[in-house]
Amino acid sequence: MGELCQQLQNLSFNLPYAQDTAEDYDTDLDLEESEKNNPDASWRDTYIEACCKLGVVPTSYFLLHMNEPYMGLNHHGLGPRGARAVAISLLSNTTINHLSLEDNWIQAQGLTHLVKMLRENHYIQELNLSNNHLGVEGSEVFARMLMDNVSLHRINLAHNHFTDQSAKHFAEALTTNFRVMKLDLSHNEFSEKGGEYIGQMLAANEGLQELNVSWNHIRIKGAIALSAGLRVNGMLKVLNLSHNGFGNEGALALGEALRVNSSLLHLDISCNRISNEGVRLLCKGLEYNDSLRVLKNVLVNPKFLSLLEAASNCRPALRVLYAGKQGFITQKSAARPDPMRVIQDFLDERKLRMLDFFKNMDKDGTMSVPVSDFLRYITMAGVPLDAVQMDSLIERLDRDQTGTIDYRNLIDSRKKMVKDLRKQQRRRERRERQERQRRERALKSFHNAVRALTPPPASRGAPWSIVSSAHFSVTPLSSWYEEGELRDQAGSPQIQNGEPENLETERYCSSRGSMVSQGFSEPFTPKRTPSPLSE
């Protein structure tokens, strides 16, 4: 290894950047002048010496580009020791301002040495550490550095197996660090608690302008907390929430946030399990938003396209990017109506009874007619049934395949049709009632989260350092969501048939801050559920 190091050192002086003098020897004075003229020569020597001590092979690309602003060492297989050698050589580097170390399996061990370098080096402004298996330990190390760092502006930490605990670390750091303007935390493992921590961070941070948390596992509770933080935030311009699980409740919370937020310009909500109803709830909030310019990748249908055209007349600057009509969902053919329902509607329009209708085709008075006569009369009468519906009707009325249709079977079939319709109606009403209750519970949870994230009135005029230390904590906000569910389960105020049971709930739902109204105000605070921070 010693011989290899000596050869590498000799090679470093023979590279194109090494300047040969007119003589074959160098004096001490010449070496000092060379270091002053070529400061990167000392960085190269430091790097080669570190590689020799750590037993790693130097990266030729790093040696050749140490004097350039961008250093791209993606996919070089550095590992923890290689990252340490790079960190040692960059301690005094003043040229590189963009360092990219994607996919080098650095892990938390190697990140520790990079963090030490970043505490001393204040010239690096953009850092890419994506896909390096940093994990929870690495997130804690990096977050501690962020509390003191003042040079990093753009950070990419995607694909690093970060969990909800990692989101807590970043939330703590970014409530004091307002220098970071762009942060990529996509393709990690944030879920409900992670969304809550990110929401708290958004509410407290005053510097972040771009945030990417796509391809995580943020569901309803996390989505509501994140939306509440977005409502309080006044700096974020680009937000990527794609490939999570916001659902319609999350879309409702986002719509409520967009009613007030005036800074966001670009929002990506693609692949979030948001149906047409969720898009409608989101658009309710967009009616009062004049700042958003791009809404990316929502599943659309012809009705949405017509509404979009009307909205474009009022908001010419708004762009909605989508993959196509109906997205990537296979279009199903419309189901044919029940043939018995078609016959009943036909009779109702003409104010006829089923008995009179059947007697017109039963010439013998036996209350039974051949199938061929039944079909011929149906066609002659002008009942709007196609061939498929005819076959389905005959199969239902002549189950034993006797070739005749009895009046009793016709009446029984109509009774079954009416019973099925009533059952479908009850099921549809129950589903709509449940969805309405979920929306109202999500709306209450959203406003509870907003109250929890908003500083108390007494501290709003205080300096930020005092407000943040007194107001922000990394305690999960789950209480504001779970309390609503527990109240429902305990038999306290619930919604029956879509109507509030008491005046307090009615006052809440009719407040101007909800989707029910046309405006917005500070959310109403129920007496039984005071804000967690009001005390």
Side-chain angles (χ1 to χ4, degrees), residues 285-468:
L286 289 176
E287 293 178 359
Y288 303 93
N289 185 291
D290 296 328
S291 61
L292 191 67
R293 294 293 177 264
V294 178
L295 178 62
K296 188 176 180 181
N297 277 355
V298 292
L299 295 179
V300 301
N301 57 15
K303 183 178 180 181
F304 178 84
L305 292 177
S306 62
L307 294 174
L308 175 62
E309 183 178 0
S312 299
N313 296 330
C314 302
R315 294 279 308 281
L318 178 63
R319 297 169 56 214
V320 178
L321 306 180
Y322 55 90
K325 188 168 66 173
Q326 297 294 345
F328 296 101
I329 301 177
T330 304
Q331 297 186 14
K332 298 180 180 179
S333 57
R336 291 182 173 85
D338 190 322
M340 282 303 306
R341 175 68 180 272
V342 175
I343 293 177
Q344 186 61 48
D345 292 342
F346 178 83
L347 297 178
D348 292 340
E349 291 177 0
R350 289 157 178 78
K351 297 182 180 181
L352 296 175
R353 297 184 305 169
M354 183 66 74
L355 179 60
D356 298 333
F357 178 74
F358 193 83
K359 284 184 176 181
N360 290 335
M361 69 180 79
D362 181 21
K363 304 299 182 182
D364 300 334
T366 59
M367 303 304 290
S368 178
V369 296
V371 171
S372 57
D373 293 346
F374 181 81
L375 294 176
R376 187 182 306 110
Y377 184 80
I378 288 288
T379 304
M380 293 176 58
V383 180
L385 293 175
D386 57 23
V388 176
Q389 291 173 311
M390 289 282 197
D391 294 340
S392 175
L393 181 61
I394 295 303
E395 183 179 354
R396 185 187 307 177
L397 298 178
D398 187 18
R399 293 175 180 262
D400 299 332
Q401 299 182 355
T402 59
T404 59
I405 294 178
D406 190 77
Y407 176 71
R408 184 181 298 276
N409 293 338
L410 188 63
I411 293 300
D412 291 343
S413 179
R414 184 179 65 174
K415 289 181 179 179
K416 184 178 183 304
M417 180 268 297
V418 173
K419 183 179 179 180
D420 292 342
L421 287 178
R422 290 175 178 172
K423 185 183 298 184
Q424 293 175 7
Q425 179 68 17
R426 289 194 298 269
R427 189 183 300 115
R428 183 166 54 252
E429 291 175 353
R430 182 170 61 253
R431 183 168 59 249
E432 291 176 354
R433 184 169 59 253
Q434 292 174 350
E435 291 179 356
R436 185 164 52 249
Q437 291 174 356
R438 283 197 298 268
R439 288 197 301 268
E440 294 182 357
R441 185 165 58 243
L443 194 60
K444 291 181 180 180
S445 300
F446 171 80
H447 288 309
N448 287 339
V450 170
R451 284 190 292 271
L453 294 174
T454 304
S459 63
R460 287 180 184 176
W464 175 253
S465 58
I466 299 176
V467 175
S468 61

Side-chain angles (χ1 to χ4, degrees), residues 160-346:
N160 272 302
H161 305 289
F162 292 147
T163 63
D164 292 338
Q165 188 66 21
S166 304
K168 177 181 179 181
H169 297 151
F170 292 126
E172 290 175 333
L174 292 174
T175 52
T176 58
N177 185 327
F178 298 159
R179 299 280 185 171
V180 178
M181 296 186 299
K182 181 178 180 180
L183 179 61
D184 189 344
L185 294 173
S186 61
H187 293 85
N188 282 295
E189 301 170 9
F190 301 146
S191 56
E192 304 287 11
K193 291 291 189 295
E196 295 173 12
Y197 290 131
I198 293 174
Q200 292 181 350
M201 180 268 290
L202 287 177
N205 186 277
E206 294 183 342
L208 194 64
Q209 297 183 8
E210 296 186 33
L211 177 62
N212 186 350
V213 289
S214 61
W215 291 95
N216 279 281
H217 313 294
I218 302 175
R219 302 293 187 258
I220 297 176
K221 294 181 184 178
I224 293 175
L226 194 151
S227 301
L230 179 63
R231 178 192 181 277
V232 179
N233 184 278
M235 290 295 296
L236 197 67
K237 292 180 172 56
V238 179
L239 179 59
N240 189 343
L241 301 172
S242 61
H243 295 88
N244 280 283
F246 273 43
N248 292 343
E249 291 82 359
L252 169 65
L254 275 176
E256 283 291 292
L258 292 175
R259 283 173 172 258
V260 178
N261 185 283
S262 60
S263 63
L264 196 66
L265 303 177
H266 187 289
L267 176 62
D268 188 348
I269 56 170
S270 56
C271 301
N272 263 290
R273 304 177 183 175
I274 298 177
S275 66
N276 293 333
E277 176 65 16
V279 173
R280 185 187 68 81
L281 296 173
L282 177 65
C283 291
K284 283 282 188 180
L286 289 176
E287 293 178 359
Y288 303 93
N289 185 291
D290 296 328
S291 61
L292 191 67
R293 294 293 177 264
V294 178
L295 178 62
K296 188 176 180 181
N297 277 355
V298 292
L299 295 179
V300 301
N301 57 15
K303 183 178 180 181
F304 178 84
L305 292 177
S306 62
L307 294 174
L308 175 62
E309 183 178 0
S312 299
N313 296 330
C314 302
R315 294 279 308 281
L318 178 63
R319 297 169 56 214
V320 178
L321 306 180
Y322 55 90
K325 188 168 66 173
Q326 297 294 345
F328 296 101
I329 301 177
T330 304
Q331 297 186 14
K332 298 180 180 179
S333 57
R336 291 182 173 85
D338 190 322
M340 282 303 306
R341 175 68 180 272
V342 175
I343 293 177
Q344 186 61 48
D345 292 342
F346 178 83

Side-chain angles (χ1 to χ4, degrees), residues 46-75:
T46 303
Y47 176 63
I48 292 175
E49 182 180 356
C51 289
C52 293
K53 290 182 179 180
L54 296 172
V56 295
V57 178
T59 303
S60 59
Y61 182 91
F62 186 63
L63 288 170
L64 292 171
H65 297 82
M66 293 186 71
N67 59 345
E68 298 180 5
Y70 172 74
M71 176 58 67
L73 294 176
N74 302 335
H75 320 292

